[in-house]
Amino acid sequence: MELYFSDRFFSAGTTDIMNEEGASVGTMDLESMLSASLSVYNSENALRFSGKFRVFSGKWEVLDGSGFEIGVLRARMSFFSKRYEYDAGSRGIYQIESPAFSNEYVILDENEAEIATFQKVSGWFEAGAFRLTNQSTLLDSYELIAVVMGVHSIQKAASNAAT
């Protein structure tokens, strides 16, 4: 399944999630400019997943529609690439990797098999827009949207801390 979604320039408000035909298949609510948190809804407007930073931590929590934590995303130390780890509990630990100056990421399972990819498809001065391609049977595409936006939020937080 291939989905398209985007951050908003001021990081607040609702944006559509679209399939490869351009039809809306859900929405993403970027809940506040002051705190990095989001909610992902399906086409019936039912809350599927949400994401937010843990208090006083650089780790991004992914919660299901009932508010239970189902995974934790964290940055991994790397010198020549961008690396993240998504711990989905009993469903496995997934590695998210990208070469240093690339906007293309691959998500690997514990056997190092590619289960999904995502690319930042927006321009240099635009808000982040992403294309997600999911082949996983264990991770829902809406869950992966929360993970992708977690990667994006971790990068924005690191960039803001550096300035």
Side-chain angles (χ1 to χ4, degrees), residues 28-31 36-40 49-52 60 146 149-150:
M28 183 172 57
D29 184 5
L30 303 166
E31 296 168 352
S37 62
L38 64 95
S39 297
V40 181
F49 297 95
S50 59
K52 63 181 181 176
W60 180 261
M149 293 305 293

Side-chain angles (χ1 to χ4, degrees), residues 82 96-106 117-125 128-132 148 151-152 155:
K82 296 174 272 187
I96 302 168
E97 301 177 349
S98 176
F101 299 105
S102 175
N103 287 326
E104 297 183 14
Y105 294 78
V106 62
T117 61
F118 66 95
Q119 299 84 27
K120 187 172 182 182
V121 294
S122 60
W124 186 259
F125 292 104
F130 300 93
R131 177 178 55 234
L132 168 68
V148 170
V151 168
H152 186 57
Q155 290 174 344

Side-chain angles (χ1 to χ4, degrees), residues 3 5 17 27-30 36-41 47-53 59-65 70-73 86 96 107 118 130 132 139-154:
L3 297 176
F5 52 96
I17 300 167
T27 57
M28 183 172 57
D29 184 5
L30 303 166
S37 62
L38 64 95
S39 297
V40 181
Y41 299 88
L47 176 62
R48 295 295 310 277
F49 297 95
S50 59
K52 63 181 181 176
F53 279 113
K59 295 180 181 178
W60 180 261
E61 293 180 327
V62 176
L63 304 116
D64 65 14
I70 59 165
V72 177
L73 175 72
Y86 180 58
I96 302 168
I107 302 175
F118 66 95
F130 300 93
L132 168 68
L139 300 180
D140 186 278
S141 291
Y142 294 104
E143 177 181 1
L144 286 178
I145 289 172
V147 171
V148 170
M149 293 305 293
V151 168
H152 186 57
S153 295
I154 289 170

Side-chain angles (χ1 to χ4, degrees), residues 52-93:
K52 63 181 181 176
F53 279 113
R54 285 185 171 170
V55 178
F56 302 115
S57 171
K59 295 180 181 178
W60 180 261
E61 293 180 327
V62 176
L63 304 116
D64 65 14
S66 300
F68 294 106
E69 182 181 293
I70 59 165
V72 177
L73 175 72
R74 67 181 184 97
R76 300 279 316 242
M77 182 67 144
S78 178
F79 293 107
F80 299 109
S81 65
K82 296 174 272 187
R83 296 187 56 175
Y84 302 86
E85 179 181 274
Y86 180 58
D87 184 345
S90 63
R91 296 173 298 147
I93 298 175

